Amino acid sequence: MTASLRTLLDGPNADVRDLVRAWLAEPGNAPVADLPREEHRAQVLAWARELADAGGTAIGFPVEYGGEGNVGRSIAAFETLAAGDLSLLVKCGVQFGLFGGAVLHLGTEHHHERYLSAITSLQLPGCFAMTETGHGSNVQALATTATYDAAAGEFVVHTPDADARKDYIGNAARDGRMAAVFAQLVVDGEARGVHALLVPIRADDGGVLPGVTIEDCGAKLGLEGVDNGRIAFDQVRVPRDALLDRYAQVREDGTYFSPIENPTKRFFVMLGTLIQGRASVCGASITATKVALDIAVRRSLTRRQFGPPGGDEVLLLDYRTHQRRLLPALATTYGLHFAQARLVERLHRAFTTDDVPDRERRQLETFAAGLKAVASWHATDTIQACREACGGAGYLRANRFAALKADTDVFTTFEGDNTVLLQLAAKNLLTDYRDEFGELDPLGLASFFAGQVIGTLAERAAVRKVLAGLAARLLPGRARAKPGDEAAGRGRYGELRDRTEQLSLLRWRQEHILQGVARRLKGGIDSGREPFDVLVDCQDHVVEAARAWVDRVVLEAFADAVEACEDPELHALLDRACSLYALTRVEAERGFYQEHGRLTAARSKAVIKTVNALCAELRPDAERLVDAFAIPAPALADAREVAANVEQAA
Ligand SMILES: Cc1cc2nc3c(=O)[nH]c(=O)nc-3n(C[C@H](O)[C@H](O)[C@H](O)COP(=O)(O)OP(=O)(O)OC[C@H]3O[C@@H](n4cnc5c(N)ncnc54)[C@H](O)[C@@H]3O)c2cc1C
């Protein structure tokens, strides 16, 4: 059964996953611990070159530039690589995902012709220079300028002050030769908003180019093998064709043109190209979680502590608290895995379709933003739980937890801060109702959530209208549970183990929260308050709406995977894991369900009981569930050795 479970998890790109696993298992490719920073950086660059030479880093790029034009396979490879050294993963993410992705998605044919092969082969190491010291999440407020000099046919890229330095930029401190720089474009004296340009930063011999200043960000919490740096530009000139001009061009005569007239929409479309990066970090978070769970579950099946008087000591995983710490996290990781597979499938479809409708693009953006936030937080929580579950052995540096904790920590921040991403997801969820509610101006709403005050009466009216419509749609009265209706998990809403009931619980919560947010936003705006102030007041609620939506889509993806599984034994195992995921989420929100009369006190207690029962039922399959992750042994070797040594010493 483990083999069929592994096949199911590996999905359609199993071959590329196996190639990456084989590479990770080769001598010399295991994650490194404790290398001096410069040696670690050199090792990471050497590994990245090896992967590029083997063609593995071009998979997502068009065939004519040496790739396979296959985003699904490229993300599958990236996800699998996350079992190894995470500095290597992030270095590859910066070079091929962010820098390469900016050239591919924001550039046009002449950029592709000129740079893509050099980028995928790593002959041209580059940076994605968006964040500034002064602004990270609020990209619209970036202060670097790119002013067009029509007489010279050049852009002048400039950092006006220290706050406008590009900061934390991967590949900047040591290896990068060029950067995709995000700057405020000024053409003929008119500000055109944030656009990206390709700016050389170092010569071939590695010397920093005139007008460019680069500092090393120095020691970090983790990812020490990545050379993050700070870049400033002093009136650096680049030719007109340095502008990545898919969504906006500056013509030879010095006029600006964009097929997307509205600047806010243009901005959001450009940023939409970050979806692939978010999906990649999401997948990497899930893999890192799997590594931690593999180590902790395996150890809990060999380590014995205490026991009945006169009897043998008991395996850690036979203790309820240990099951509680590891098995719901394991079930959640399975859920996130299936949701991620769905996200990647949709992304792949979108990338192979010429014209993706706005609505579909927005839904993808919501999915990637929400899932990345939840998966990276889940990684942080689970890695810590696994470390503790391994006791002192988990704390030793030779073990992988130190690196896993330190290196994945920032997954909650880069590719979009999680709290900011959940707000983006919530904004999209509200906007998705636009068609049903007539004239909502989505840009008005986008500005609203981007922190801009909606100035015009027309925009205010549009927002009021959609919020009123949303509230009307979502407000229908809900059946309330009556005391005594439910006992031991059974009641008017059905069995807790019943998938329909589980889906109904999570969907109900999500809709209820969205409805509440809509009502509060509408009430605030109707009372004449500034939309920005209303939003700030409701912000925790807004974020919760997105979080509840992610819980729901994860359960839907998990439930569909269970349904599609034809092997009866495997189906039964996944069904238990899926119920454990669903009820873990319900249990975490018991207060909400009781406050809103959706669970009685008796039924709420039944949720706890059912979670306990499901943990016990899943316990015999725990090893099989982590085996199916197929983490290459060298990615776990140290931890296993440490576990074994500690066992012997004891
Ligand atoms: C190791 C590392 C590598 C990186 N690599 C790159 C790179 O290669 N290229 C690049 O361009 N950038 C890179 N970054 C930058 C990264 O993308 C930013 O740090 C991130 O976008 C967050 O921006 P910030 O640091 O300015 O945080 P801020 O935006 O200042 O956020 C700080 C806190 O404030 C909260 N906050 C912000 N806005 C709001 C709001 N509206 N409402 C409520 N709360 C809010 C956030 O949730 C967060 O907790 C990297 C960062 C690190 C640490």
Side-chain angles (χ1 to χ4, degrees):
M1 185 162 60
T2 307
S4 30
L5 186 52
R6 174 179 167 169
T7 305
L8 179 72
L9 291 182
D10 277 359
N13 296 306
D15 59 332
V16 82
R17 291 185 195 274
D18 282 342
L19 282 175
V20 177
R21 286 181 181 122
W23 186 86
L24 287 171
E26 278 173 27
N29 295 345
V32 294
D34 290 336
L35 268 189
R37 192 186 314 147
E38 286 311 316
E39 282 177 43
H40 195 176
R41 287 175 173 182
Q43 172 67 79
V44 161
L45 181 66
W47 275 331
R49 287 203 187 288
E50 200 182 315
L51 292 173
D53 289 347
T57 53
I59 299 171
F61 290 85
V63 179
E64 53 270 41
Y65 306 110
E68 298 176 23
N70 194 322
V71 173
R73 273 170 79 73
S74 138
I75 296 182
F78 190 81
E79 283 172 8
T80 315
L81 193 64
D85 191 294
L86 287 158
S87 287
L88 169 64
L89 180 91
V90 171
K91 184 87 170 177
C92 288
V94 167
Q95 170 69 19
F96 309 108
L98 290 176
F99 177 52
V103 174
L104 178 64
H105 298 303
L106 299 179
T108 47
E109 206 178 336
H110 68 104
H111 300 111
H112 300 169
E113 290 283 337
R114 195 158 163 200
Y115 298 116
L116 281 186
S117 299
I119 292 172
T120 58
S121 61
L122 201 40
Q123 283 159 8
L124 178 64
C127 311
F128 180 88
M130 180 182 270
T131 305
E132 294 177 358
T133 309
H135 288 98
S137 305
N138 188 1
V139 177
Q140 262 174 319
L142 295 181
T144 301
T145 50
T147 309
Y148 190 61
D149 174 349
E154 291 172 339
F155 289 100
V156 182
V157 179
H158 187 61
T159 305
D161 54 40
D163 258 8
R165 289 171 311 181
K166 294 296 172 185
D167 216 340
Y168 318 105
I169 308 303
N171 244 351
R174 181 182 185 273
D175 299 323
R177 299 291 187 264
M178 182 177 263
V181 177
F182 289 77
Q184 301 289 352
L185 198 73
V186 181
V187 182
D188 201 16
E190 198 173 335
R192 296 293 188 167
V194 173
H195 292 64
L197 304 92
L198 293 176
V199 184
I201 56 170
R202 281 194 183 85
D204 288 346
D205 65 2
V208 176
L209 290 172
V212 180
T213 308
I214 303 180
E215 289 170 48
D216 197 314
C217 284
K220 304 189 292 285
L221 187 63
L223 297 176
E224 286 290 64
V226 185
D227 53 327
N228 293 93
R230 214 166 276 134
I231 316 174
F233 302 97
D234 183 9
Q235 314 281 353
V236 172
R237 288 183 167 264
V238 290
R240 187 172 58 89
D241 65 5
L243 180 71
L244 293 173
D245 56 354
R246 175 163 173 196
Y247 297 111
Q249 297 100 42
V250 173
R251 291 173 170 147
E252 231 165 302
D253 63 2
T255 53
Y256 175 90
F257 169 78
S258 171
I260 310 171
E261 276 179 32
N262 188 302
T264 312
K265 181 166 183 194
R266 189 186 316 128
F267 173 75
F268 279 100
V269 169
M270 285 189 194
L271 289 200
T273 58
L274 297 177
I275 293 175
Q276 187 178 341
R278 287 182 187 144
S280 301
V281 170
C282 183
S285 302
I286 296 168
T287 303
T289 313
K290 289 174 181 173
V291 173
L293 282 164
D294 188 318
I295 296 168
V297 166
R298 231 172 269 287
R299 182 167 169 76
S300 72
L301 292 168
T302 54
R303 176 90 172 159
R304 293 175 183 274
Q305 289 294 295
F306 301 98
D312 289 340
E313 285 198 305
V314 170
L315 282 172
L316 288 181
L317 201 55
D318 287 327
Y319 286 107
R320 171 148 292 155
T321 48
H322 223 73
Q323 291 176 4
R324 277 285 196 160
R325 288 154 91 178
L326 298 181
L327 299 183
L330 184 54
T332 301
T333 307
Y334 265 78
L336 290 168
H337 173 101
F338 290 119
Q340 166 74 1
R342 177 163 287 182
L343 168 65
V344 173
E345 185 196 314
R346 289 190 187 162
L347 192 63
H348 182 74
R349 219 180 317 131
F351 274 49
T352 43
T353 311
D354 278 343
D355 207 9
V356 183
D358 271 3
R359 188 181 167 89
E360 210 175 306
R361 184 181 51 72
R362 197 171 50 248
Q363 284 170 347
L364 254 179
E365 184 183 61
T366 312
F367 202 170
L371 200 64
K372 180 269 184 186
V374 170
S376 55
W377 270 327
H378 175 66
T380 303
D381 294 345
T382 305
I383 292 166
Q384 176 64 23
C386 290
R387 203 296 293 154
E388 290 178 30
C390 290
Y395 194 68
L396 298 186
R397 210 167 166 110
N399 191 320
R400 284 217 62 201
F401 291 117
L404 282 174
K405 271 166 67 116
D407 293 343
T408 60
D409 184 287
V410 75
F411 289 9
T412 62
T413 297
F414 64 25
E415 296 281 355
D417 167 85
N418 281 357
T419 303
V420 174
L421 285 184
L422 287 182
Q423 290 179 66
L424 170 73
K427 179 263 289 181
N428 284 351
L429 290 173
L430 287 166
T431 308
D432 273 345
Y433 288 91
R434 171 186 56 178
D435 296 343
E436 289 168 56
F437 299 107
E439 293 172 16
L440 168 69
D441 168 7
L443 303 175
L445 205 58
S447 313
F448 180 80
F449 277 89
Q452 289 188 349
V453 176
I454 297 171
T456 69
L457 282 175
E459 281 173 323
R460 279 174 191 245
V463 171
R464 276 195 202 106
K465 192 165 179 176
V466 72
L467 295 178
L470 186 56
R473 182 194 147 114
L474 296 173
L475 268 171
R478 296 277 169 187
R480 301 259 158 182
K482 289 191 206 111
D485 271 349
E486 301 146 6
R490 206 172 267 117
R492 65 186 290 196
Y493 290 102
E495 278 274 4
L496 286 173
R497 283 175 183 252
D498 180 59
R499 189 63 24 81
T500 312
E501 169 62 355
Q502 293 163 2
L503 284 163
S504 149
L505 279 162
L506 265 60
R507 284 175 179 150
W508 181 84
R509 175 172 143 77
Q510 184 254 309
E511 288 183 5
H512 192 94
I513 296 177
L514 200 60
Q515 159 207 321
V517 170
R519 214 175 10 188
R520 284 182 66 194
L521 291 173
K522 175 179 159 21
I525 294 169
D526 280 353
S527 71
R529 296 182 61 213
E530 283 300 327
F532 184 81
D533 295 336
V534 177
L535 173 66
V536 171
D537 272 357
C538 299
Q539 216 177 12
D540 54 335
H541 208 169
V542 165
V543 164
E544 206 47 40
R547 167 74 225 219
W549 180 82
V550 175
D551 288 348
R552 166 194 177 154
V553 296
V554 170
L555 181 59
E556 286 171 349
F558 203 161
D560 288 347
V562 176
E563 270 315 295
C565 178
E566 287 172 0
D567 173 336
E569 229 188 326
L570 194 53
H571 184 285
L573 171 59
L574 287 175
D575 186 55
R576 284 194 290 280
C578 186
S579 286
L580 182 55
Y581 165 69
L583 295 182
T584 297
R585 292 311 311 150
V586 175
E587 187 183 38
E589 305 300 344
R590 278 189 306 137
F592 174 92
Y593 284 109
Q594 280 196 57
E595 276 170 12
H596 293 82
R598 183 64 172 82
L599 284 183
T600 61
R603 199 130 187 280
S604 179
K605 285 184 191 163
V607 172
I608 306 175
K609 253 194 194 165
T610 315
V611 169
N612 280 339
L614 284 164
C615 282
E617 288 167 32
L618 220 52
R619 153 62 188 99
D621 292 306
E623 189 168 9
R624 181 171 289 151
L625 285 164
V626 294
D627 270 348
F629 294 151
I631 308 292
L636 307 164
D638 277 355
R640 282 179 178 164
E641 257 165 44
V642 171
N645 291 342
V646 172
E647 274 305 308
Q648 279 164 14

